[in-house]
Amino acid sequence: MYFDKSIDATALVLLTFLSSFAAPLVVWLLGPRGSLRFTTVPLALGTAFAVLFRAEMAELLGATIACVAGMWWFAIVASVTSDGEPAFDLRIAVPLALAGVLIVRALARTMPLDELPLWIAGPAVLALVVPLVFLRTPATLAWRTTDTRGGLALFALPLVFALAADVGSNGAVIAGAAGLASGPFGATSTYAGLAVSGLGVAAALLARRGPPSRPVIASAALVVGALGIWTRGELVSLVGGALLAFGIVRAATLLADVATRPARVPLRTTIALAFGWVTAILATLEYYVSAGAIVFFAGMVAVIAMLTVLSTTAAAAGRERRVPRLLAVCAALAIVAPTVTIVTSPAPTLVAPAGALRVMGYNIHLGYSDGDVPAIDAIAHVIAAESPDLVGLTEVTRGTIIAGGHDVLVLLAERLHMSYVFGPMLGDVEGVGVLSRVPIDELRVVPLARSSTAKDLRRVAVMVRIGTTWFVTTHLGGDDIPTQVGSIIAATSTFAHVVVTGDLNSEPGTPQMREFADAGFTDLGARDNALTFSPSALAMRIDYVWVRGLDGDAVRTVATRASDHLPVLTTVRLP
């Protein structure tokens, strides 16, 4: 989910998550049974609305309702008892939910539910929300609250959910840390990262079947796993990814298992969770800002809700027999699902170039259309219809919350049977990439220079060599574009034959574009001056193909609203 820049995403996200502080008022006014009824229906209907109605504002409305109701609902089920025992077993539901997110993410090839075809998403969302709507609660319900230590545990639980979203179930992060995501590859590196994470999740679920583990084990796994990823060594980072996934699931299990005592109003429980939700989203906003975070957290709570219902039913039917089996099945699926996805991923079909290269530059807007709805299939169709040999992609996202969780580079490579390379600019999850139908002989990811006062992303240029010709893709921006251009010119100064394409965020005639001309480059788009931004109201040309030492045709654009930029396309003749 991605929203137009006219929507203040930061304010929207903060207001949504600050609403979690209203949970004490809800439980005080409505009591246990009334609170459950009040929150269950909007959680279910909001989730269904966000998934089934494929329009920006409809999804925003549904996801916001589901997220607000879901946070209240979660606080309620963490606070309600029946005959002195927890009415809902979050100790089972939470780890199963984390495992379920990874399994579904692997089987859906990183596509979130609201981007899958309706014939898949419809039955899936019904399976998710129907058990909630028809939830049968125990006859006797009462409130419970926790002590100070339990409050700290509940405060930390949403932080674990955020860590699971950003890293634990994002195979691109683990693969990137291990050096497996840059390329040139087929579309399996992200799934390899998910397989590593699946091993850790499976181990944690199987450990849940045995004797209780000490908190120090989960803490050590989190710390050692994070350090392993941070070191960015191939084997060390893979082991770190598995340990981190293990630690996330074990930590979530332990944090959901807090001591309780009877209470008139579960103030401490609800407030602790509210502070946890807000802190988690503030940490996420520090990394990247988008209302897409609402969708993720709403989805996570909805999954936990469904699994809470299932685990409660299992308990009523004979928990000692059924829950260990359920844990074992989910552990197996956490390993099998990514493996199946790897095995079924299509290999790229590569053909040696024959005298010319058909090249395209395309800002793909994180996989969203000019109307800010998911458009990966439409983008793939645009590229396939033009059949370029090389595609320089900008605004590439790989599994981030900001883009709903999809790995757009892997999905396009799969659909087009092309290999890919990637240059990260924000962690390992956002940057620029190249899709290729021709064999790549060499890859360089070059960091671009910037001034000491620049506050923009650390921008890069991805450079691939095909024979003696270099194809360069970059995305310039911020207040330091002339310095970035100078860096590209310096990095390509020894190349006899070079193509530079990308979203350069500069109009023709600006000083930074004259730098390219002064360095001997030719702007293939200058003849027709075809505008590229934005498709709904074309007003400027900021996407380019520059060449040096090569002849090429005039750039043309493709009329499409699959992204908020038009792709630029030309043919260059090889030396």
Side-chain angles (χ1 to χ4, degrees):
M1 187 181 195
Y2 185 81
F3 293 101
D4 186 272
K5 295 176 178 62
S6 64
I7 297 174
D8 189 341
T10 305
L12 176 64
V13 170
L14 287 177
L15 286 173
T16 299
F17 282 84
L18 284 170
S19 70
S20 60
F21 283 99
L25 180 62
V26 172
V27 301
W28 177 65
L29 290 174
L30 301 179
R33 192 174 304 278
S35 299
L36 280 173
R37 291 172 179 168
F38 180 73
T39 55
T40 298
V41 173
L43 169 59
L45 295 183
T47 301
F49 199 81
V51 170
L52 299 179
F53 291 88
R54 306 297 172 91
E56 179 186 23
M57 295 310 298
E59 186 176 8
L60 174 59
L61 177 63
T64 302
I65 292 172
C67 193
V68 173
M71 289 184 294
W72 293 348
W73 179 92
F74 192 84
I76 291 163
V77 298
S79 306
V80 71
T81 63
S82 176
D83 297 326
E85 296 293 329
F88 303 95
D89 200 340
L90 294 179
R91 299 168 301 175
I92 299 170
V94 168
L96 286 178
L98 293 172
V101 168
L102 182 138
I103 293 165
V104 171
R105 201 167 193 177
L107 293 177
R109 312 186 95 84
T110 78
M111 292 190 73
L113 196 57
D114 62 326
E115 295 182 26
L116 292 173
L118 282 173
W119 65 271
I120 297 176
V125 77
L126 288 177
L128 189 67
V129 303
V130 167
L132 284 178
V133 174
F134 295 99
L135 174 65
R136 295 182 64 182
T137 57
T140 304
L141 294 177
W143 289 126
R144 60 172 179 164
T145 193
T146 187
D147 56 18
T148 302
R149 292 179 62 184
L152 291 173
L154 291 174
F155 164 78
L157 193 54
L159 302 178
V160 174
F161 294 161
L163 183 61
D166 291 334
V167 183
S169 62
N170 188 352
V173 171
I174 298 171
L180 301 178
S182 293
F185 298 121
T188 57
S189 65
T190 289
Y191 307 141
L194 283 172
V196 168
S197 184
L199 291 173
V201 169
L205 292 178
L206 294 176
R208 176 69 180 82
R209 298 175 72 227
S213 62
R214 297 178 180 178
V216 67
I217 296 176
S219 301
L222 288 173
V223 172
V224 175
L227 288 174
I229 292 175
W230 180 74
T231 59
R232 305 188 68 80
E234 184 171 342
L235 181 59
V236 173
S237 291
L238 291 176
V239 172
L243 284 174
L244 185 69
F246 174 88
I248 286 171
V249 177
R250 291 304 301 144
T253 304
L254 294 168
L255 293 172
D257 186 14
V258 296
T260 61
R261 55 182 174 78
R264 293 180 60 188
V265 176
L267 185 63
R268 187 170 290 170
T269 299
T270 53
I271 292 296
L273 281 168
F275 273 109
W277 290 119
V278 172
T279 304
I281 201 60
L282 287 174
T284 301
L285 290 174
E286 180 66 23
Y287 192 48
Y288 40 64
V289 179
S290 171
I294 296 176
V295 178
F296 169 78
F297 282 104
M300 176 67 80
V301 173
V303 171
I304 293 171
M306 181 191 71
L307 290 167
T308 300
V309 174
L310 295 179
S311 62
T312 304
T313 303
R319 177 170 139 185
E320 294 302 322
R321 297 190 307 274
R322 298 193 180 187
V323 168
R325 294 176 188 172
L326 184 58
L327 291 168
V329 168
C330 285
L333 288 175
I335 297 173
V336 171
T339 304
V340 169
T341 305
I342 291 172
V343 172
T344 57
S345 296
T349 303
L350 304 180
V351 179
L357 285 173
R358 190 171 174 83
V359 300
M360 175 185 280
Y362 201 179
N363 181 321
I364 57 172
H365 192 41
L366 307 178
Y368 289 79
S369 73
D370 191 38
D372 296 309
V373 295
I376 292 175
D377 287 335
I379 293 168
H381 177 74
V382 170
I383 297 172
E386 299 297 335
S387 192
D389 299 302
L390 292 163
V391 186
L393 300 175
T394 53
E395 289 196 22
V396 173
T397 182
R398 310 200 61 187
T400 61
I401 295 175
I402 192 173
H406 58 219
D407 188 329
V408 67
L409 190 58
V410 160
L411 290 168
L412 289 175
E414 282 189 323
R415 283 159 170 73
L416 299 165
H417 296 272
M418 301 174 80
S419 66
Y420 75 82
V421 299
F422 178 64
M425 297 197 308
L426 177 62
D428 289 299
V429 294
E430 189 175 330
V432 295
V434 173
L435 296 173
S436 178
R437 295 189 194 280
V438 296
I440 292 174
D441 299 311
E442 186 178 348
L443 163 67
R444 299 180 188 177
V445 178
V446 179
L448 302 184
R450 62 178 187 170
S451 66
S452 58
T453 58
K455 298 179 180 180
D456 193 39
L457 298 173
R458 289 199 169 273
R459 298 186 180 261
V460 303
V462 170
M463 305 182 179
V464 297
R465 181 173 60 82
I466 294 89
T468 62
T469 299
W470 285 87
F471 180 75
V472 180
T473 294
T474 192
H475 188 184
L476 307 183
D479 57 1
D480 211 20
I481 293 179
T483 304
Q484 297 163 16
V485 171
S487 188
I488 293 172
I489 291 171
T492 59
S493 61
T494 61
F495 300 165
H497 315 291
V498 58
V499 180
V500 177
T501 186
D503 176 358
L504 305 187
N505 274 312
S506 305
E507 295 194 69
T510 55
Q512 54 264 34
M513 293 300 95
R514 289 199 296 269
E515 284 187 59
F516 276 116
D518 293 343
F521 284 88
T522 300
D523 177 8
L524 294 183
R527 190 187 75 181
D528 296 335
N529 196 38
L531 304 180
T532 64
F533 182 82
S534 67
S536 57
L538 287 170
M540 61 183 69
R541 179 164 74 95
I542 58 177
D543 302 88
Y544 292 81
V545 179
W546 292 89
V547 297
R548 189 179 64 204
L550 296 166
D551 292 325
D553 297 337
V555 164
R556 67 178 179 86
T557 58
V558 180
T560 175
R561 295 191 65 183
S563 173
D564 68 343
H565 288 240
L566 298 184
V568 291
L569 184 72
T570 188
T571 298
V572 295
R573 285 165 284 283
L574 296 176

